[in-house]
Amino acid sequence: MNIMLTNVLNTAARGLFYYLFGFTFVFGSPSNGFIGHHFLGMKAFPSELFHYSNFLYQWAFSIAVVGITSDSIADRNLVCHLPHLLCRTAVTTTLAGCMAALTTLFGKRLISKHWNITDVCNGLLGEFVAITSGCSVVEPWAAIVCGFIASWVLIGCNKLAKKFKYDDPLEAAQLHGGCECWGLIFTGLFVRGIYVQEVYQATGRPYGLFMGGGGKLLAAQIIQILTIGGWVSATMGPLATMGPLFYVLNKMNLLRISAEDEMAGMDMTRHGGFAYVYHDEDEQSLKQGGLMMRIIEPANGTPTSN
């Protein structure tokens, strides 16, 4: 768990730092002979000297440095020969995910007092959902804003789900529903007009409110959210196709397992034994033929040599 968390956070933190000043220090020529000072925060980027693909390529090598110490990164040969548009999309998606991972880590730490790799990974996924709508038509700094807010949207949606006892242990609705709603609103606020023309090969299209494009795109995005919400409500509601099916399954006691089965785990109650056993003192799991994963406790005292 420690290695996994370290590697995820290494990737996320270095993504942001490399965006802010890492690439600048190494490649920000002309420099003062010691350290580069151009392209801070990818300002005036891309240029005649460097492209988004250069940033991605060098960032990939920078994150490999920490991974080498734990032998956890096996393949570090990332070469980007993608066109300008795809490279910008990759950069915005990466930076948004980096910010979301770090924000979720520290946000959940404040709430639960734990450093949780699962929360970090879900924060990453939530941001990838959110940035999808505008990844090719926003600036890198805007993608970072998207990632920051998306992580709090996910945390807030999870709080609401717990409050209203909504049973979704995978956080699917909160992640794909809540974060995507934010992603659509984000697009209506931060899309650049010049990128819209570049991507869609058309002039006169609306773009982000905060970028001087007026509120037409934002209004369209909100209408889309309401339309999708209405469609889901109509098809999944009590009078629609799935509503009666869930009702019948509930009456037949097939919709949910019992509370006892839920607490014991379906591996044990429905499938004959644990796939993985995490506690070597669990005698019942040993009898079920599960795969033992023993916990090795540190030995007391100082090791002696023969």
Side-chain angles (χ1 to χ4, degrees), residues 11-25 27 38-43 45-47 49-63 78-80 87-96 98 140-141 144:
T11 303
R14 282 176 178 264
L16 292 178
F17 294 152
Y18 211 69
Y19 160 76
L20 291 173
F21 48 78
F23 188 86
T24 296
F25 288 169
F27 299 103
H38 286 264
F39 307 125
L40 277 171
M42 297 183 74
K43 186 178 180 180
F45 204 92
S47 69
L49 295 175
F50 296 108
H51 198 268
Y52 286 113
S53 59
N54 300 111
F55 172 84
L56 285 176
Y57 184 75
Q58 299 300 335
W59 166 73
F61 275 96
S62 76
I63 65 174
L78 172 64
V79 181
C80 182
C87 288
R88 183 174 68 234
T89 300
V91 169
T92 56
T93 303
T94 298
L95 291 175
C98 291
W141 65 263
I144 293 175

Side-chain angles (χ1 to χ4, degrees), residues 17-291:
F17 294 152
Y18 211 69
Y19 160 76
L20 291 173
F21 48 78
F23 188 86
T24 296
F25 288 169
V26 183
F27 299 103
S29 60
S31 66
N32 57 19
F34 172 70
I35 193 170
H37 55 81
H38 286 264
F39 307 125
L40 277 171
M42 297 183 74
K43 186 178 180 180
F45 204 92
S47 69
E48 295 181 357
L49 295 175
F50 296 108
H51 198 268
Y52 286 113
S53 59
N54 300 111
F55 172 84
L56 285 176
Y57 184 75
Q58 299 300 335
W59 166 73
F61 275 96
S62 76
I63 65 174
V65 175
V66 174
I68 292 173
T69 61
S70 61
D71 268 346
S72 57
I73 297 181
D75 185 2
R76 297 180 295 277
N77 298 316
L78 172 64
V79 181
C80 182
H81 299 295
L82 301 176
H84 168 77
L85 171 60
L86 295 182
C87 288
R88 183 174 68 234
T89 300
V91 169
T92 56
T93 303
T94 298
L95 291 175
C98 291
M99 174 54 79
L102 295 175
T103 305
T104 306
L105 174 74
F106 290 104
K108 291 293 290 186
R109 168 68 177 177
L110 292 174
I111 296 172
S112 65
K113 310 302 180 185
H114 294 292
W115 305 105
N116 195 312
I117 183 64
T118 303
D119 291 330
V120 173
C121 290
N122 278 349
L124 274 169
L125 291 175
E127 171 45 37
F128 291 153
V129 170
I131 195 61
T132 297
S133 176
C135 58
S136 64
V137 287
V138 298
E139 294 281 8
W141 65 263
I144 293 175
V145 174
C146 181
F148 177 80
I149 298 179
S151 63
W152 289 109
V153 168
L154 179 60
I155 292 173
C157 287
N158 285 333
K159 285 288 185 181
L160 289 176
K162 184 176 181 180
K163 177 179 177 63
F164 292 104
K165 298 182 179 180
Y166 179 72
D167 187 13
D168 187 2
L170 297 180
E171 303 178 8
Q174 302 93 291
L175 194 154
H176 292 279
C179 290
E180 182 56 30
C181 286
W182 157 242
L184 291 171
I185 293 173
F186 162 78
T187 301
L189 296 174
F190 289 96
V191 166
R192 282 199 65 184
I194 188 173
Y195 292 163
V196 172
Q197 295 180 24
E198 179 185 7
V199 172
Y200 297 102
Q201 299 295 308
T203 59
R205 284 178 175 264
Y207 53 98
L209 176 64
F210 291 168
M211 310 304 289
K216 288 185 178 180
L217 180 59
L218 178 61
Q221 300 295 84
I222 293 175
I223 291 173
Q224 182 178 359
I225 293 172
L226 296 176
T227 302
I228 294 173
W231 172 257
V232 172
S233 299
T235 56
M236 299 293 288
L239 301 179
T241 305
M242 301 305 297
L245 176 61
F246 290 155
Y247 178 80
V248 172
L249 291 175
N250 187 44
K251 287 298 183 180
M252 297 174 64
N253 292 323
L254 297 175
L255 186 62
R256 291 187 60 105
I257 62 174
S258 67
E260 292 77 13
D261 285 356
E262 186 175 354
M263 295 304 297
M266 290 183 65
D267 277 1
M268 178 65 67
T269 61
R270 301 297 176 90
H271 302 290
F274 290 130
Y276 301 99
V277 181
Y278 295 96
H279 303 287
D280 54 3
E281 68 272 12
D282 192 339
E283 296 180 358
Q284 185 179 10
S285 63
L286 290 174
K287 296 177 182 179
Q288 298 297 327
L291 175 63

